[in-house]
Amino acid sequence: CSASANKPVLTLFTKKPCPLCDEAKEVLEPYKRRFILQEVDITLPENSVWYDKYKYDIPVFHLNGKFLMKHQVDIQKFEDQLTKLELHND
């Protein structure tokens, strides 16, 4: 089954420490089998573009490369977008 190949990628822009990011990941825990979580540490030199963009806004989430939400998880919005992508893949 190649379902994992079509799983949406949720990108979390974060830095250490980030209590809000930890909180966000906990909120997303029940959904984790439906997406691939990719974390981007914005303090790394190669991520300076994201640092400049999001240094006051983390956590920031992108779903499949598109901005989704910031500061905290909007679970309704997340679920709607995730479902939309899953339907699109079928």
Side-chain angles (χ1 to χ4, degrees):
C1 166
S2 65
S4 65
N6 288 332
K7 269 191 203 171
V9 176
L10 184 69
T11 308
L12 165 59
F13 294 90
T14 184
K15 65 183 180 191
K16 302 270 183 267
C18 177
L20 285 175
C21 302
D22 297 337
E23 212 172 280
K25 284 192 275 188
E26 274 176 41
V27 174
L28 293 168
E29 185 70 20
Y31 300 91
K32 73 173 193 233
R33 293 177 57 232
R34 292 171 59 193
F35 65 87
I36 295 160
L37 181 65
Q38 179 184 38
E39 292 187 44
V40 175
D41 183 340
I42 64 169
T43 62
L44 297 175
E46 65 267 25
N47 295 327
S48 62
V49 167
W50 296 115
Y51 180 80
D52 293 341
K53 195 170 183 173
Y54 292 143
K55 61 186 165 203
Y56 303 118
D57 289 321
I58 60 165
V60 176
F61 292 94
H62 286 195
L63 190 58
N64 278 2
K66 292 196 184 88
F67 174 82
L68 182 65
M69 56 197 169
K70 64 183 181 183
H71 301 155
Q72 58 196 45
V73 174
D74 177 339
I75 210 68
Q76 195 56 59
K77 185 178 196 178
F78 173 69
E79 218 175 318
D80 290 349
Q81 293 300 317
L82 192 58
T83 304
K84 218 178 266 183
L85 287 169
E86 288 168 342
L87 292 172
H88 183 73
N89 278 336
D90 285 346

